[in-house]
Amino acid sequence: MKKKNFMIAIIVFIVGAGIFALINQPTATFNNKTISQHDDTGTKTKENEENEDVGEESQDETEEDEPSTEQRQLSTVAIEAFQEAVDFFTNQNTHIVAVGDSLTQGVGSSNGGGYVGILDSALNAEGQIVSFDNFGIRGNRSDQLLERLDNPEVSTALEDADIVLITIGANDIMKVVRENFTNLKIEEFRQERIDYEERLQQIFTKLKHINPNTDIYLLGFYNPFEQYFQDIEELDMIVESWNKTGNDIAQEDASITFIPTVDLFDDPDANLFAEDNFHPNDRGYQRMARRVLDYLTNEEG
């Protein structure tokens, strides 16, 4: 038991130090079975026109060392993968609004656009067919997003949104870590998940009040520590339970769709994370973009 507690303490210290050093909003690790989750959310950014290589995931992972490859025009594979979506959105004047945390902002990607920027570049490569507004803010929790929906700039964009994309909740988890850093127990996450569920319901209610006709897509969590702490089952338990919360809410409302992402990053042989080891890199965001597009075209069609 002493040995186990000692190992846990070491993991907590290492992960905690790494998070606080690498991310603006504090992050830390999970004691009782360490967890450290990436700070989510970023400064409000309109998506840059990033020419990201959204295909070629089977190529060498050395692409991460060749940013020029990631930033040049879409590859043939990418064009083929997105062609159906381009055809789908053409002549629809679709407006997509993204809100949430650092995953929405695109923290970790080479040009800061993330998955939203990749969607923008891919869909509008041959001409503007979909307009995007990105209101991702690094470090945002669900309570902060709930308040930001009242911001006139955000609410005005939402009033005209055909589709709303959301990433939120990772910083709710990190709040538990920060407040209980020296005595972290899984029970603390269970209670916070209940509070998160209530706030998530309020976010959806407010979104539908602002725009009753929009379709809402909630992206799920992934576990960035799977590759390092595979033997700590509690990490997966937390991610699974919080994902289930979002999915359960979505199942109750036809206008809300849950998009899973945990499987996209369950690939120890692929380099999917940025240098901070928490946020996705270009390749990770490419996977997210293709998954989102999959759901958009299937659901909308």
Side-chain angles (χ1 to χ4, degrees):
M1 175 63 75
K2 289 184 178 180
K3 182 177 179 181
K4 179 179 180 181
N5 290 338
F6 175 76
M7 292 178 65
I8 292 174
I10 291 297
I11 294 173
V12 171
F13 175 78
I14 293 175
V15 179
I19 297 178
F20 281 105
L22 292 169
I23 303 179
N24 289 340
Q25 296 292 331
T27 41
T29 68
F30 169 21
N31 191 340
N32 261 351
K33 297 307 186 192
T34 60
I35 193 178
S36 222
Q37 194 130 346
H38 51 301
D39 259 6
D40 272 325
T41 58
T43 57
K44 175 186 179 245
T45 54
K46 286 256 186 171
E47 290 318 309
N48 300 325
E49 293 213 356
E50 2 152 331
N51 290 325
E52 304 223 16
D53 182 356
V54 293
E56 303 289 337
E57 286 189 8
S58 62
Q59 284 189 338
D60 291 0
E61 299 305 329
T62 56
E63 278 190 311
E64 284 306 313
D65 296 326
E66 301 176 0
S68 60
T69 301
E70 294 291 351
Q71 295 170 359
R72 68 190 184 202
Q73 78 280 0
L74 296 175
S75 66
T76 301
V77 173
I79 293 175
E80 291 175 353
F82 281 82
Q83 188 57 54
E84 180 180 350
V86 170
D87 293 341
F88 173 82
F89 284 110
T90 298
N91 299 323
Q92 292 197 40
N93 297 317
T94 303
H95 180 204
I96 297 178
V97 175
V99 296
D101 49 34
S102 60
L103 294 182
T104 294
Q105 179 187 352
V107 173
S109 61
S110 61
N111 60 8
Y115 84 91
V116 180
I118 293 173
L119 291 175
D120 190 347
S121 293
L123 292 174
N124 296 315
E126 307 261 330
Q128 187 79 19
I129 61 173
V130 180
S131 60
F132 285 84
D133 283 309
N134 189 337
F135 296 101
I137 293 185
R138 183 176 192 160
N140 254 194
R141 302 184 307 271
S142 58
D143 59 314
Q144 295 170 319
L145 176 58
L146 184 61
E147 291 182 5
R148 282 207 300 129
L149 295 181
D150 293 325
N151 180 298
E153 185 177 9
V154 176
S155 60
T156 298
L158 289 168
E159 288 174 1
D160 187 46
D162 299 293
I163 295 169
V164 176
L165 303 174
I166 305 175
T167 62
I168 198 67
N171 293 300
D172 296 61
I173 293 177
M174 291 315 306
K175 179 174 178 285
V176 177
V177 176
R178 292 192 297 270
E179 293 179 350
N180 302 274
F181 188 77
T182 60
N183 187 31
L184 198 55
K185 295 181 174 64
I186 196 169
E187 179 56 38
E188 306 292 342
F189 293 94
R190 293 194 182 104
Q191 181 57 50
E192 182 62 26
R193 185 197 58 75
I194 294 174
D195 296 337
Y196 167 72
E197 179 177 6
E198 181 178 344
R199 291 189 293 267
L200 196 57
Q201 291 275 21
Q202 293 173 351
I203 288 171
F204 291 145
T205 297
K206 183 171 290 190
L207 285 172
K208 289 186 288 184
H209 175 73
I210 294 173
N211 185 344
N213 300 314
T214 193
D215 291 315
I216 303 169
Y217 293 82
L218 174 67
L219 278 69
F221 299 97
Y222 61 86
N223 180 4
F225 300 103
E226 178 70 22
Q227 56 184 325
Y228 301 112
F229 306 118
Q230 296 180 3
D231 57 329
I232 302 178
E233 297 179 357
E234 283 79 357
L235 291 173
D236 283 331
M237 289 171 55
I238 292 171
V239 171
E240 289 174 7
S241 64
W242 285 58
N243 275 334
K244 185 176 186 300
T245 294
N247 189 45
D248 287 349
I249 294 176
Q251 292 293 329
E252 299 172 357
D253 192 321
S255 67
I256 304 172
T257 300
F258 179 80
I259 302 179
T261 65
V262 65
D263 62 303
L264 300 178
F265 295 88
D266 187 15
D267 188 351
D269 296 325
N271 178 16
L272 302 173
F273 293 97
E275 291 183 359
D276 63 12
N277 290 316
F278 301 105
H279 296 94
N281 56 19
D282 289 335
R283 185 178 298 279
Y285 278 121
Q286 288 163 14
R287 292 190 176 194
M288 290 178 65
R290 295 178 72 170
R291 172 63 57 82
V292 170
L293 205 54
D294 238 15
Y295 272 75
L296 292 184
T297 53
N298 288 337
E299 291 291 325
E300 299 299 314

